[in-house]
Amino acid sequence: MRPQAVLGALPFTVMLAVAIADVMAGPTLGFLPLLTLGPTFGAAVGSVRRTAVTGLVALALCLPLAAYNDLLFTRQNNVTLATIVGVTCAATVVSHLRLKRERELANLRLVAEAAQRVLLRPVPRRAGPLRVALSYTSAAAEAQIGGDLYEVVTTPKGVRLLIGDVQGKGLASVETAAWVLGAFREAAYEEDDLTGVGERLEASLARHLSGETFVTAVIAEAYDSEISILNCGHPPPLVIRHDGRAVLLEPEEDSLPLGLAALGLPGPKPLRVPFAEGDQMLLYTDGVIEARDGNGTFYPLTDRLVLLGHADPQRALDDLRADLIDHVGGPLPDDAAMLLVRR
């Protein structure tokens, strides 16, 4: 039976249980006031009409049970009937307010989904010589968007990719992600190299951010037989060669995340590595490698790269995501984004 059907039957099941208990206990014990549980549960799960019907059923059960207990015309039974009527009236009001709030939340969700489609657009399945796959899992059960960000842009200068993670959570992180994505979409077309793209992102964040807010990011660009990586304090990407070997693309020097240029340290330098036909590159956020199982063991990403062997990159990445969720055994504690590109 579906959960919704179970919840719909709950008020009537409770009242039936109260009636059976009252009959089995005999006239010595009175359970009639517990019939108010019916409309109370009805307000939580049903419509206004259904809640009112639940109250009428409670009254219909109360009268014969009161006669069975020799309480039909007593003051005690009159109080019980008045209680059922009062609780039913209050329950219908609560049901109306609940349904109104649910409709408002549904409308807000539609707006949020529209904003998501604008902010985090679906990536193309093919970009230049690359096949692309994406996996995005929000830590919030009711949300589809968080502080992780990604983008794939095909420009006259080549295919440029971005993956990043905004410090913090909530609406503030979503707003910062919007600034980064907007700046990247323009800079990717206008700047001649990745260093220029990174500087544009830094300048944009300097105008908008304050305090110690920052964004870790990896910017990549694919060439004929190579790929260039600009790492701004982000977990290093993994390149999986066509023969199955995995290479962690760690930068030669550590660099600061975006948004911290005021500290006056040198910016990141691009790292250029071979990227031949059949090679894959996995970009990911820290929500992947910091996910833990019930024993506190981090997700062993490098050991699970064999899951990326499927001929379809999206199917391969879906298998990796399913394995990640299975490792955690429940909702992820942090947003997790993965971008897989295959030449």
mmCIF file of all heavy atoms in Angstrom, residues 74-121:
data_model
loop_
_atom_site.group_PDB
_atom_site.id
_atom_site.type_symbol
_atom_site.label_atom_id
_atom_site.label_comp_id
_atom_site.label_asym_id
_atom_site.label_seq_id
_atom_site.Cartn_x
_atom_site.Cartn_y
_atom_site.Cartn_z
ATOM 1 N N THR A 74 -25.971 11.398 29.687
ATOM 2 C CA THR A 74 -25.280 11.926 30.861
ATOM 3 C C THR A 74 -24.495 13.178 30.502
ATOM 4 O O THR A 74 -24.219 13.475 29.336
ATOM 5 C CB THR A 74 -24.301 10.872 31.424
ATOM 6 O OG1 THR A 74 -23.300 10.614 30.439
ATOM 7 C CG2 THR A 74 -25.031 9.577 31.774
ATOM 8 N N ARG A 75 -24.158 13.910 31.567
ATOM 9 C CA ARG A 75 -23.365 15.126 31.376
ATOM 10 C C ARG A 75 -21.993 14.797 30.804
ATOM 11 O O ARG A 75 -21.454 15.534 29.966
ATOM 12 C CB ARG A 75 -23.227 15.847 32.707
ATOM 13 C CG ARG A 75 -22.434 17.140 32.633
ATOM 14 C CD ARG A 75 -22.377 17.810 34.000
ATOM 15 N NE ARG A 75 -21.610 19.037 33.940
ATOM 16 C CZ ARG A 75 -21.362 19.814 34.992
ATOM 17 N NH1 ARG A 75 -21.871 19.491 36.189
ATOM 18 N NH2 ARG A 75 -20.647 20.912 34.852
ATOM 19 N N GLN A 76 -21.434 13.669 31.237
ATOM 20 C CA GLN A 76 -20.101 13.261 30.765
ATOM 21 C C GLN A 76 -20.105 13.052 29.250
ATOM 22 O O GLN A 76 -19.199 13.482 28.542
ATOM 23 C CB GLN A 76 -19.674 11.971 31.470
ATOM 24 C CG GLN A 76 -18.329 11.429 30.990
ATOM 25 C CD GLN A 76 -17.960 10.121 31.677
ATOM 26 O OE1 GLN A 76 -18.605 9.722 32.667
ATOM 27 N NE2 GLN A 76 -16.936 9.458 31.182
ATOM 28 N N ASN A 77 -21.160 12.405 28.737
ATOM 29 C CA ASN A 77 -21.225 12.165 27.293
ATOM 30 C C ASN A 77 -21.450 13.458 26.526
ATOM 31 O O ASN A 77 -20.928 13.635 25.419
ATOM 32 C CB ASN A 77 -22.338 11.165 26.982
ATOM 33 C CG ASN A 77 -22.287 10.727 25.530
ATOM 34 O OD1 ASN A 77 -21.275 10.240 25.051
ATOM 35 N ND2 ASN A 77 -23.382 10.927 24.813
ATOM 36 N N ASN A 78 -22.251 14.370 27.118
ATOM 37 C CA ASN A 78 -22.453 15.660 26.451
ATOM 38 C C ASN A 78 -21.130 16.419 26.302
ATOM 39 O O ASN A 78 -20.878 17.066 25.278
ATOM 40 C CB ASN A 78 -23.458 16.505 27.233
ATOM 41 C CG ASN A 78 -24.866 15.934 27.178
ATOM 42 O OD1 ASN A 78 -25.192 15.192 26.249
ATOM 43 N ND2 ASN A 78 -25.685 16.255 28.172
ATOM 44 N N VAL A 79 -20.294 16.340 27.340
ATOM 45 C CA VAL A 79 -18.976 16.978 27.269
ATOM 46 C C VAL A 79 -18.125 16.316 26.192
ATOM 47 O O VAL A 79 -17.411 16.995 25.429
ATOM 48 C CB VAL A 79 -18.275 16.908 28.641
ATOM 49 C CG1 VAL A 79 -16.828 17.392 28.517
ATOM 50 C CG2 VAL A 79 -19.023 17.739 29.661
ATOM 51 N N THR A 80 -18.199 14.973 26.092
ATOM 52 C CA THR A 80 -17.432 14.259 25.064
ATOM 53 C C THR A 80 -17.869 14.665 23.666
ATOM 54 O O THR A 80 -17.044 14.919 22.786
ATOM 55 C CB THR A 80 -17.598 12.736 25.249
ATOM 56 O OG1 THR A 80 -17.120 12.357 26.534
ATOM 57 C CG2 THR A 80 -16.806 11.982 24.185
ATOM 58 N N LEU A 81 -19.210 14.758 23.450
ATOM 59 C CA LEU A 81 -19.718 15.176 22.142
ATOM 60 C C LEU A 81 -19.276 16.601 21.798
ATOM 61 O O LEU A 81 -18.872 16.891 20.663
ATOM 62 C CB LEU A 81 -21.246 15.081 22.132
ATOM 63 C CG LEU A 81 -21.840 13.669 22.203
ATOM 64 C CD1 LEU A 81 -23.349 13.740 22.336
ATOM 65 C CD2 LEU A 81 -21.454 12.865 20.968
ATOM 66 N N ALA A 82 -19.361 17.493 22.799
ATOM 67 C CA ALA A 82 -18.932 18.870 22.564
ATOM 68 C C ALA A 82 -17.442 18.929 22.243
ATOM 69 O O ALA A 82 -17.000 19.733 21.412
ATOM 70 C CB ALA A 82 -19.257 19.723 23.783
ATOM 71 N N THR A 83 -16.665 18.072 22.903
ATOM 72 C CA THR A 83 -15.220 18.036 22.646
ATOM 73 C C THR A 83 -14.934 17.591 21.218
ATOM 74 O O THR A 83 -14.086 18.167 20.530
ATOM 75 C CB THR A 83 -14.530 17.094 23.639
ATOM 76 O OG1 THR A 83 -14.777 17.538 24.975
ATOM 77 C CG2 THR A 83 -13.029 17.049 23.380
ATOM 78 N N ILE A 84 -15.671 16.559 20.774
ATOM 79 C CA ILE A 84 -15.465 16.072 19.401
ATOM 80 C C ILE A 84 -15.823 17.160 18.397
ATOM 81 O O ILE A 84 -15.098 17.395 17.421
ATOM 82 C CB ILE A 84 -16.297 14.804 19.152
ATOM 83 C CG1 ILE A 84 -15.773 13.641 20.014
ATOM 84 C CG2 ILE A 84 -16.277 14.414 17.677
ATOM 85 C CD1 ILE A 84 -16.605 12.383 19.924
ATOM 86 N N VAL A 85 -16.943 17.854 18.629
ATOM 87 C CA VAL A 85 -17.351 18.927 17.719
ATOM 88 C C VAL A 85 -16.306 20.048 17.714
ATOM 89 O O VAL A 85 -15.909 20.556 16.652
ATOM 90 C CB VAL A 85 -18.731 19.478 18.115
ATOM 91 C CG1 VAL A 85 -19.062 20.731 17.314
ATOM 92 C CG2 VAL A 85 -19.806 18.421 17.911
ATOM 93 N N GLY A 86 -15.841 20.438 18.896
ATOM 94 C CA GLY A 86 -14.854 21.511 18.974
ATOM 95 C C GLY A 86 -13.549 21.146 18.312
ATOM 96 O O GLY A 86 -12.959 21.954 17.567
ATOM 97 N N VAL A 87 -13.073 19.913 18.570
ATOM 98 C CA VAL A 87 -11.814 19.475 17.965
ATOM 99 C C VAL A 87 -11.962 19.389 16.456
ATOM 100 O O VAL A 87 -11.043 19.761 15.695
ATOM 101 C CB VAL A 87 -11.373 18.125 18.557
ATOM 102 C CG1 VAL A 87 -10.207 17.544 17.765
ATOM 103 C CG2 VAL A 87 -10.974 18.289 20.016
ATOM 104 N N THR A 88 -13.116 18.931 15.976
ATOM 105 C CA THR A 88 -13.343 18.833 14.527
ATOM 106 C C THR A 88 -13.319 20.213 13.882
ATOM 107 O O THR A 88 -12.706 20.404 12.819
ATOM 108 C CB THR A 88 -14.680 18.138 14.240
ATOM 109 O OG1 THR A 88 -14.657 16.820 14.800
ATOM 110 C CG2 THR A 88 -14.927 18.038 12.740
ATOM 111 N N CYS A 89 -13.980 21.194 14.489
ATOM 112 C CA CYS A 89 -13.966 22.556 13.946
ATOM 113 C C CYS A 89 -12.538 23.104 13.884
ATOM 114 O O CYS A 89 -12.122 23.696 12.880
ATOM 115 C CB CYS A 89 -14.859 23.463 14.784
ATOM 116 S SG CYS A 89 -16.619 23.078 14.658
ATOM 117 N N ALA A 90 -11.806 22.912 14.983
ATOM 118 C CA ALA A 90 -10.417 23.384 14.995
ATOM 119 C C ALA A 90 -9.575 22.644 13.965
ATOM 120 O O ALA A 90 -8.717 23.241 13.295
ATOM 121 C CB ALA A 90 -9.825 23.207 16.389
ATOM 122 N N ALA A 91 -9.829 21.337 13.795
ATOM 123 C CA ALA A 91 -9.053 20.537 12.848
ATOM 124 C C ALA A 91 -9.301 20.970 11.415
ATOM 125 O O ALA A 91 -8.379 20.985 10.582
ATOM 126 C CB ALA A 91 -9.387 19.053 13.017
ATOM 127 N N THR A 92 -10.546 21.351 11.093
ATOM 128 C CA THR A 92 -10.812 21.812 9.728
ATOM 129 C C THR A 92 -10.080 23.128 9.441
ATOM 130 O O THR A 92 -9.590 23.338 8.330
ATOM 131 C CB THR A 92 -12.326 22.002 9.515
ATOM 132 O OG1 THR A 92 -12.845 22.901 10.510
ATOM 133 C CG2 THR A 92 -13.054 20.678 9.601
ATOM 134 N N VAL A 93 -10.010 24.000 10.428
ATOM 135 C CA VAL A 93 -9.257 25.247 10.251
ATOM 136 C C VAL A 93 -7.772 24.941 10.026
ATOM 137 O O VAL A 93 -7.122 25.508 9.135
ATOM 138 C CB VAL A 93 -9.449 26.174 11.465
ATOM 139 C CG1 VAL A 93 -8.536 27.392 11.357
ATOM 140 C CG2 VAL A 93 -10.899 26.613 11.583
ATOM 141 N N VAL A 94 -7.234 24.037 10.836
ATOM 142 C CA VAL A 94 -5.821 23.656 10.692
ATOM 143 C C VAL A 94 -5.577 23.019 9.327
ATOM 144 O O VAL A 94 -4.566 23.299 8.665
ATOM 145 C CB VAL A 94 -5.422 22.686 11.819
ATOM 146 C CG1 VAL A 94 -4.037 22.107 11.564
ATOM 147 C CG2 VAL A 94 -5.448 23.402 13.166
ATOM 148 N N SER A 95 -6.509 22.178 8.873
ATOM 149 C CA SER A 95 -6.364 21.541 7.566
ATOM 150 C C SER A 95 -6.353 22.586 6.456
ATOM 151 O O SER A 95 -5.551 22.506 5.513
ATOM 152 C CB SER A 95 -7.503 20.547 7.343
ATOM 153 O OG SER A 95 -7.407 19.949 6.076
ATOM 154 N N HIS A 96 -7.237 23.578 6.554
ATOM 155 C CA HIS A 96 -7.269 24.646 5.549
ATOM 156 C C HIS A 96 -5.944 25.414 5.511
ATOM 157 O O HIS A 96 -5.391 25.680 4.430
ATOM 158 C CB HIS A 96 -8.417 25.610 5.863
ATOM 159 C CG HIS A 96 -8.396 26.858 5.045
ATOM 160 N ND1 HIS A 96 -8.728 26.882 3.703
ATOM 161 C CD2 HIS A 96 -8.063 28.140 5.383
ATOM 162 C CE1 HIS A 96 -8.599 28.113 3.251
ATOM 163 N NE2 HIS A 96 -8.208 28.902 4.236
ATOM 164 N N LEU A 97 -5.407 25.759 6.687
ATOM 165 C CA LEU A 97 -4.145 26.496 6.740
ATOM 166 C C LEU A 97 -2.991 25.640 6.213
ATOM 167 O O LEU A 97 -2.089 26.150 5.535
ATOM 168 C CB LEU A 97 -3.865 26.941 8.178
ATOM 169 C CG LEU A 97 -4.857 27.957 8.772
ATOM 170 C CD1 LEU A 97 -4.528 28.223 10.234
ATOM 171 C CD2 LEU A 97 -4.842 29.255 7.972
ATOM 172 N N ARG A 98 -3.024 24.341 6.530
ATOM 173 C CA ARG A 98 -1.963 23.454 6.041
ATOM 174 C C ARG A 98 -1.982 23.361 4.521
ATOM 175 O O ARG A 98 -0.927 23.445 3.870
ATOM 176 C CB ARG A 98 -2.142 22.061 6.638
ATOM 177 C CG ARG A 98 -1.143 21.029 6.118
ATOM 178 C CD ARG A 98 -1.384 19.666 6.741
ATOM 179 N NE ARG A 98 -2.721 19.175 6.471
ATOM 180 C CZ ARG A 98 -3.095 18.575 5.329
ATOM 181 N NH1 ARG A 98 -2.204 18.418 4.352
ATOM 182 N NH2 ARG A 98 -4.314 18.150 5.158
ATOM 183 N N LEU A 99 -3.155 23.188 3.944
ATOM 184 C CA LEU A 99 -3.249 23.093 2.488
ATOM 185 C C LEU A 99 -2.820 24.401 1.817
ATOM 186 O O LEU A 99 -2.169 24.393 0.763
ATOM 187 C CB LEU A 99 -4.673 22.737 2.086
ATOM 188 C CG LEU A 99 -5.127 21.324 2.475
ATOM 189 C CD1 LEU A 99 -6.598 21.143 2.187
ATOM 190 C CD2 LEU A 99 -4.303 20.278 1.730
ATOM 191 N N LYS A 100 -3.154 25.526 2.428
ATOM 192 C CA LYS A 100 -2.744 26.811 1.891
ATOM 193 C C LYS A 100 -1.225 26.926 1.889
ATOM 194 O O LYS A 100 -0.616 27.372 0.904
ATOM 195 C CB LYS A 100 -3.359 27.945 2.710
ATOM 196 C CG LYS A 100 -2.997 29.336 2.214
ATOM 197 C CD LYS A 100 -3.643 30.418 3.077
ATOM 198 C CE LYS A 100 -3.236 31.808 2.601
ATOM 199 N NZ LYS A 100 -3.822 32.870 3.472
ATOM 200 N N ARG A 101 -0.605 26.507 2.995
ATOM 201 C CA ARG A 101 0.855 26.565 3.085
ATOM 202 C C ARG A 101 1.505 25.594 2.090
ATOM 203 O O ARG A 101 2.525 25.937 1.474
ATOM 204 C CB ARG A 101 1.304 26.228 4.511
ATOM 205 C CG ARG A 101 2.823 26.244 4.718
ATOM 206 C CD ARG A 101 3.425 27.582 4.351
ATOM 207 N NE ARG A 101 2.881 28.654 5.131
ATOM 208 C CZ ARG A 101 3.357 29.016 6.327
ATOM 209 N NH1 ARG A 101 4.382 28.369 6.843
ATOM 210 N NH2 ARG A 101 2.807 30.015 6.969
ATOM 211 N N GLU A 102 0.900 24.422 1.903
ATOM 212 C CA GLU A 102 1.452 23.469 0.947
ATOM 213 C C GLU A 102 1.408 24.019 -0.473
ATOM 214 O O GLU A 102 2.333 23.820 -1.254
ATOM 215 C CB GLU A 102 0.690 22.140 1.035
ATOM 216 C CG GLU A 102 0.989 21.338 2.291
ATOM 217 C CD GLU A 102 0.187 20.060 2.369
ATOM 218 O OE1 GLU A 102 -0.691 19.852 1.486
ATOM 219 O OE2 GLU A 102 0.417 19.261 3.295
ATOM 220 N N ARG A 103 0.312 24.718 -0.817
ATOM 221 C CA ARG A 103 0.235 25.326 -2.144
ATOM 222 C C ARG A 103 1.293 26.410 -2.310
ATOM 223 O O ARG A 103 1.909 26.543 -3.379
ATOM 224 C CB ARG A 103 -1.164 25.901 -2.367
ATOM 225 C CG ARG A 103 -2.238 24.846 -2.610
ATOM 226 C CD ARG A 103 -3.526 25.482 -3.090
ATOM 227 N NE ARG A 103 -4.151 26.293 -2.049
ATOM 228 C CZ ARG A 103 -5.049 25.841 -1.198
ATOM 229 N NH1 ARG A 103 -5.429 24.561 -1.243
ATOM 230 N NH2 ARG A 103 -5.589 26.629 -0.287
ATOM 231 N N GLU A 104 1.514 27.202 -1.254
ATOM 232 C CA GLU A 104 2.549 28.235 -1.322
ATOM 233 C C GLU A 104 3.931 27.620 -1.511
ATOM 234 O O GLU A 104 4.742 28.107 -2.308
ATOM 235 C CB GLU A 104 2.510 29.088 -0.054
ATOM 236 C CG GLU A 104 1.266 29.955 0.077
ATOM 237 C CD GLU A 104 1.204 30.675 1.412
ATOM 238 O OE1 GLU A 104 2.029 30.356 2.290
ATOM 239 O OE2 GLU A 104 0.328 31.556 1.573
ATOM 240 N N LEU A 105 4.204 26.537 -0.775
ATOM 241 C CA LEU A 105 5.497 25.871 -0.905
ATOM 242 C C LEU A 105 5.668 25.260 -2.287
ATOM 243 O O LEU A 105 6.771 25.264 -2.849
ATOM 244 C CB LEU A 105 5.637 24.792 0.175
ATOM 245 C CG LEU A 105 5.791 25.296 1.617
ATOM 246 C CD1 LEU A 105 5.817 24.128 2.588
ATOM 247 C CD2 LEU A 105 7.062 26.120 1.763
ATOM 248 N N ALA A 106 4.568 24.719 -2.848
ATOM 249 C CA ALA A 106 4.644 24.156 -4.194
ATOM 250 C C ALA A 106 4.986 25.237 -5.215
ATOM 251 O O ALA A 106 5.797 25.015 -6.127
ATOM 252 C CB ALA A 106 3.329 23.471 -4.549
ATOM 253 N N ASN A 107 4.388 26.420 -5.056
ATOM 254 C CA ASN A 107 4.698 27.519 -5.966
ATOM 255 C C ASN A 107 6.147 27.978 -5.815
ATOM 256 O O ASN A 107 6.829 28.273 -6.801
ATOM 257 C CB ASN A 107 3.753 28.696 -5.709
ATOM 258 C CG ASN A 107 2.330 28.405 -6.136
ATOM 259 O OD1 ASN A 107 2.101 27.585 -7.023
ATOM 260 N ND2 ASN A 107 1.369 29.044 -5.492
ATOM 261 N N LEU A 108 6.618 28.033 -4.552
ATOM 262 C CA LEU A 108 8.012 28.414 -4.329
ATOM 263 C C LEU A 108 8.965 27.391 -4.934
ATOM 264 O O LEU A 108 10.023 27.761 -5.464
ATOM 265 C CB LEU A 108 8.275 28.552 -2.825
ATOM 266 C CG LEU A 108 7.657 29.777 -2.147
ATOM 267 C CD1 LEU A 108 7.885 29.710 -0.647
ATOM 268 C CD2 LEU A 108 8.239 31.059 -2.712
ATOM 269 N N ARG A 109 8.590 26.122 -4.877
ATOM 270 C CA ARG A 109 9.457 25.097 -5.457
ATOM 271 C C ARG A 109 9.538 25.254 -6.972
ATOM 272 O O ARG A 109 10.601 25.082 -7.571
ATOM 273 C CB ARG A 109 8.924 23.713 -5.100
ATOM 274 C CG ARG A 109 9.746 22.578 -5.697
ATOM 275 C CD ARG A 109 9.324 21.236 -5.159
ATOM 276 N NE ARG A 109 9.625 21.140 -3.740
ATOM 277 C CZ ARG A 109 9.368 20.058 -3.014
ATOM 278 N NH1 ARG A 109 8.788 19.018 -3.562
ATOM 279 N NH2 ARG A 109 9.674 20.032 -1.740
ATOM 280 N N LEU A 110 8.407 25.598 -7.605
ATOM 281 C CA LEU A 110 8.436 25.826 -9.044
ATOM 282 C C LEU A 110 9.362 26.986 -9.388
ATOM 283 O O LEU A 110 10.108 26.932 -10.373
ATOM 284 C CB LEU A 110 7.016 26.111 -9.547
ATOM 285 C CG LEU A 110 6.041 24.933 -9.525
ATOM 286 C CD1 LEU A 110 4.651 25.387 -9.947
ATOM 287 C CD2 LEU A 110 6.530 23.810 -10.431
ATOM 288 N N VAL A 111 9.312 28.058 -8.575
ATOM 289 C CA VAL A 111 10.203 29.197 -8.801
ATOM 290 C C VAL A 111 11.662 28.780 -8.614
ATOM 291 O O VAL A 111 12.543 29.157 -9.396
ATOM 292 C CB VAL A 111 9.836 30.357 -7.855
ATOM 293 C CG1 VAL A 111 10.855 31.480 -7.967
ATOM 294 C CG2 VAL A 111 8.439 30.880 -8.163
ATOM 295 N N ALA A 112 11.925 27.979 -7.569
ATOM 296 C CA ALA A 112 13.296 27.531 -7.309
ATOM 297 C C ALA A 112 13.811 26.656 -8.441
ATOM 298 O O ALA A 112 14.976 26.758 -8.840
ATOM 299 C CB ALA A 112 13.346 26.769 -5.987
ATOM 300 N N GLU A 113 12.957 25.791 -8.985
ATOM 301 C CA GLU A 113 13.387 24.942 -10.087
ATOM 302 C C GLU A 113 13.669 25.764 -11.337
ATOM 303 O O GLU A 113 14.596 25.467 -12.098
ATOM 304 C CB GLU A 113 12.322 23.881 -10.365
ATOM 305 C CG GLU A 113 12.218 22.829 -9.260
ATOM 306 C CD GLU A 113 11.092 21.851 -9.496
ATOM 307 O OE1 GLU A 113 10.334 22.049 -10.478
ATOM 308 O OE2 GLU A 113 10.964 20.890 -8.726
ATOM 309 N N ALA A 114 12.862 26.821 -11.551
ATOM 310 C CA ALA A 114 13.136 27.701 -12.687
ATOM 311 C C ALA A 114 14.469 28.421 -12.500
ATOM 312 O O ALA A 114 15.248 28.567 -13.453
ATOM 313 C CB ALA A 114 11.999 28.713 -12.843
ATOM 314 N N ALA A 115 14.730 28.866 -11.273
ATOM 315 C CA ALA A 115 16.012 29.525 -10.991
ATOM 316 C C ALA A 115 17.173 28.555 -11.182
ATOM 317 O O ALA A 115 18.247 28.934 -11.665
ATOM 318 C CB ALA A 115 16.013 30.078 -9.565
ATOM 319 N N GLN A 116 16.958 27.305 -10.818
ATOM 320 C CA GLN A 116 18.011 26.307 -10.994
ATOM 321 C C GLN A 116 18.347 26.126 -12.466
ATOM 322 O O GLN A 116 19.510 26.020 -12.846
ATOM 323 C CB GLN A 116 17.577 24.972 -10.401
ATOM 324 C CG GLN A 116 18.626 23.879 -10.584
ATOM 325 C CD GLN A 116 18.046 22.495 -10.397
ATOM 326 O OE1 GLN A 116 16.843 22.322 -10.560
ATOM 327 N NE2 GLN A 116 18.864 21.547 -10.050
ATOM 328 N N ARG A 117 17.313 26.089 -13.314
ATOM 329 C CA ARG A 117 17.565 25.889 -14.736
ATOM 330 C C ARG A 117 18.330 27.053 -15.341
ATOM 331 O O ARG A 117 19.073 26.882 -16.308
ATOM 332 C CB ARG A 117 16.237 25.676 -15.473
ATOM 333 C CG ARG A 117 15.585 24.334 -15.178
ATOM 334 C CD ARG A 117 14.436 24.079 -16.128
ATOM 335 N NE ARG A 117 13.325 24.986 -15.894
ATOM 336 C CZ ARG A 117 12.314 24.740 -15.078
ATOM 337 N NH1 ARG A 117 12.290 23.620 -14.381
ATOM 338 N NH2 ARG A 117 11.341 25.609 -14.933
ATOM 339 N N VAL A 118 18.133 28.260 -14.761
ATOM 340 C CA VAL A 118 18.873 29.420 -15.244
ATOM 341 C C VAL A 118 20.298 29.413 -14.709
ATOM 342 O O VAL A 118 21.264 29.677 -15.430
ATOM 343 C CB VAL A 118 18.158 30.720 -14.834
ATOM 344 C CG1 VAL A 118 19.004 31.935 -15.197
ATOM 345 C CG2 VAL A 118 16.794 30.797 -15.521
ATOM 346 N N LEU A 119 20.446 29.100 -13.426
ATOM 347 C CA LEU A 119 21.759 29.157 -12.789
ATOM 348 C C LEU A 119 22.630 27.970 -13.179
ATOM 349 O O LEU A 119 23.755 28.132 -13.657
ATOM 350 C CB LEU A 119 21.587 29.206 -11.268
ATOM 351 C CG LEU A 119 22.868 29.258 -10.442
ATOM 352 C CD1 LEU A 119 23.690 30.485 -10.817
ATOM 353 C CD2 LEU A 119 22.536 29.274 -8.955
ATOM 354 N N LEU A 120 22.123 26.765 -12.970
ATOM 355 C CA LEU A 120 22.864 25.551 -13.302
ATOM 356 C C LEU A 120 22.199 24.899 -14.502
ATOM 357 O O LEU A 120 21.342 24.023 -14.363
ATOM 358 C CB LEU A 120 22.903 24.598 -12.102
ATOM 359 C CG LEU A 120 23.696 25.080 -10.895
ATOM 360 C CD1 LEU A 120 23.614 24.067 -9.768
ATOM 361 C CD2 LEU A 120 25.150 25.339 -11.260
ATOM 362 N N ARG A 121 22.587 25.333 -15.674
ATOM 363 C CA ARG A 121 21.984 24.812 -16.894
ATOM 364 C C ARG A 121 22.463 23.397 -17.160
ATOM 365 O O ARG A 121 23.579 23.024 -16.777
ATOM 366 C CB ARG A 121 22.354 25.717 -18.072
ATOM 367 C CG ARG A 121 21.936 27.163 -17.877
ATOM 368 C CD ARG A 121 22.367 28.026 -19.026
ATOM 369 N NE ARG A 121 23.815 28.044 -19.206
ATOM 370 C CZ ARG A 121 24.456 28.923 -19.954
ATOM 371 N NH1 ARG A 121 23.768 29.861 -20.580
ATOM 372 N NH2 ARG A 121 25.761 28.876 -20.080
#
